[in-house]
Amino acid sequence: MFLDVGRKLEGYRQRVYVERAQPLEQYTTEELYARFRFGNADIKYIADLVRPKLQRRTRRSHSLSVEQQVLIGLRFNASGTFYQVVGDNIGVDKSNVSDVVKAVSIALASLVNQFVSFPNDVQIAQTKHKFFTLGNMPNTIVVIDCTHVHIQAPHERDWEYINRKGRRSINVLLVGDADLIITNCVVKWPGTVHDARILRERVLHTEGDSAYPLLPWMITPFLAASTPAQARFNTAHCKTRCAIERLNGVLKRRFACLNYLLVEPQGACNIILACIVLHNIATRRNVPLCDDVYDPPEPFEEPDQPLAFCQNEGLSGRIVRDAIVRHYF
């Protein structure tokens, strides 16, 4: 019996493997910072953190190593570009890039409790001193603000994500210290949700801005200062609160993907959490911030009126704020 092998192979297409880039070997430290936002040692450190979740069971020669997966995730976070472009740069198919970005984001997001935590007693004393040095505001532990991360239109409940500017977004609450470390965060609310409601759902001892309720443990500025002392208080408050604005700027500048995410809300939340974890890693490891990408701040808008939890809390907050003005300003 004879087999027509040629006929059998007519419909067979030989698999062609594209040679993958080796960034850790090819690029200088400066080039790694520019493309991935981290240096060689930092990337290996991150790879070790997520290795238990990303280690491939297969030993096939063309499977992606943990380091390669991390590089793909970091490249996407740093550039915010299309999966096809990321894949072309590293030599990986677009569909693989999508899967890897998702897996790396989930792996990093799972570390949020390890890298995002409220300061301990020793750190609180140091943080109070740093904030006082920064803006002459006494007894400040952390500052708080919300920022919107724009996303594509979801397939379900689209209207919930349209914020007051008419864009679809995730409203992210960030809490930070004087060193621009994120000490707490809430990453789950659609863009229609007001900042004060997010705070109400996640009560924290923070200093906020005038879009938040004035509480005994969260001090907001005077909407209209009526005395020189109140004006000095507002100036100090503004200087202190600049820390959270700088933190938000650094976060979005380092990870350009946060300007606009072409993914569904849950995927967006995982990517945002991953970037928050990476931001704290970069800050604690003194990773320099590259100057090649800059995300200008959004135009200032007058905040909504504060939403108090109840009248008693608003009253007690004013008593505390007035006492601070009398004793320090």
Side-chain angles (χ1 to χ4, degrees):
M1 183 175 75
F2 296 94
L3 295 176
D4 190 348
V5 178
R7 187 176 299 276
K8 280 183 171 291
L9 294 178
E10 282 180 359
Y12 175 76
R13 186 178 64 179
Q14 185 178 4
R15 182 176 294 178
V16 177
Y17 292 102
V18 178
E19 184 177 355
R20 290 173 181 150
Q22 301 295 330
L24 294 180
E25 301 173 7
Q26 296 174 353
Y27 295 133
T28 64
T29 299
E30 290 73 20
E31 290 171 333
L32 287 173
Y33 285 145
R35 289 168 172 80
F36 303 98
R37 300 297 185 259
F38 291 92
N40 194 303
D42 305 312
I43 293 170
K44 291 178 178 178
Y45 170 75
I46 295 168
D48 287 338
L49 288 173
V50 296
R51 193 175 304 280
K53 292 185 178 295
L54 298 182
Q55 186 73 59
R56 299 289 192 182
R57 294 181 180 179
T58 177
R59 292 177 178 265
R60 291 183 304 172
S61 59
H62 290 278
S63 64
L64 290 167
S65 68
V66 173
E67 285 75 14
Q68 289 171 323
Q69 293 176 70
V70 168
L71 285 167
I72 290 170
L74 292 179
R75 181 59 183 152
F76 172 79
N77 293 341
S79 65
T81 191
F82 295 106
Y83 292 146
Q84 183 69 62
V85 177
V86 175
D88 290 345
N89 288 338
I90 299 182
V92 179
D93 185 77
K94 178 177 71 173
S95 61
N96 288 338
V97 172
S98 175
D99 292 340
V100 168
V101 168
K102 179 179 179 180
V104 171
S105 298
I106 292 174
L108 286 168
S110 70
L111 302 175
V112 67
N113 291 332
Q114 179 179 341
F115 287 94
V116 179
S117 60
F118 206 71
N120 58 36
D121 291 342
V122 175
Q123 293 168 331
I124 284 176
Q126 296 171 345
T127 299
K128 286 182 178 180
H129 175 73
K130 290 177 180 179
F131 271 125
F132 189 78
T133 302
L134 178 66
N136 293 324
M137 181 65 69
N139 295 322
T140 302
I141 300 173
V142 291
V143 284
I144 181 174
D145 201 4
C146 282
T147 184
H148 286 264
V149 175
H150 302 300
I151 62 172
Q152 71 176 7
H155 290 103
E156 297 180 358
R157 307 180 71 85
D158 171 66
W159 59 271
E160 288 189 347
Y161 294 87
I162 300 177
N163 60 34
R164 68 178 186 271
K165 294 184 180 180
R167 299 185 65 181
R168 294 158 182 85
S169 65
I170 303 292
N171 195 0
V172 179
L173 182 144
L174 295 175
V175 181
D177 66 13
D179 294 321
L180 308 189
I181 292 288
I182 298 172
T183 61
N184 209 306
C185 62
V186 179
V187 184
K188 66 177 183 179
W189 293 99
T192 55
V193 178
H194 191 277
D195 297 0
R197 180 187 170 188
I198 298 176
L199 174 69
R200 187 164 58 241
E201 299 289 338
R202 183 71 169 265
V203 177
L204 299 168
H205 294 262
T206 58
E207 176 187 340
D209 68 12
S210 55
Y212 297 90
L214 173 62
L215 301 171
W217 39 263
M218 187 178 75
I219 304 302
T220 60
F222 292 93
L223 292 178
S226 59
T227 67
Q230 290 182 0
R232 289 191 293 271
F233 171 89
N234 275 5
T235 298
H237 189 284
C238 180
K239 290 180 179 178
T240 304
R241 187 180 172 276
C242 279
I244 193 65
E245 295 172 349
R246 290 200 310 274
L247 189 159
N248 180 42
V250 168
L251 179 67
K252 290 188 175 181
R253 184 178 173 186
R254 177 172 273 133
F255 304 115
C257 70
L258 298 181
N259 293 319
Y260 183 57
L261 288 170
L262 288 168
V263 294
E264 289 291 306
Q266 185 55 58
C269 289
N270 287 331
I271 292 172
I272 295 166
L273 283 171
C275 289
I276 287 172
V277 170
L278 290 171
H279 166 85
N280 277 2
I281 290 173
T283 304
R284 290 190 174 112
R285 291 175 68 91
N286 297 314
V287 175
L289 185 64
C290 294
D291 295 326
D292 61 331
V293 177
Y294 175 66
D295 178 34
E298 296 181 358
F300 175 78
E301 293 184 0
E302 287 297 327
D304 298 333
Q305 289 298 313
L307 299 179
F309 294 151
C310 67
Q311 290 184 347
N312 290 336
E313 286 180 317
L315 176 60
S316 58
R318 287 194 293 272
I319 292 173
V320 171
R321 184 173 61 185
D322 290 343
I324 293 174
V325 172
R326 286 196 305 273
H327 286 90
Y328 293 97
F329 298 94

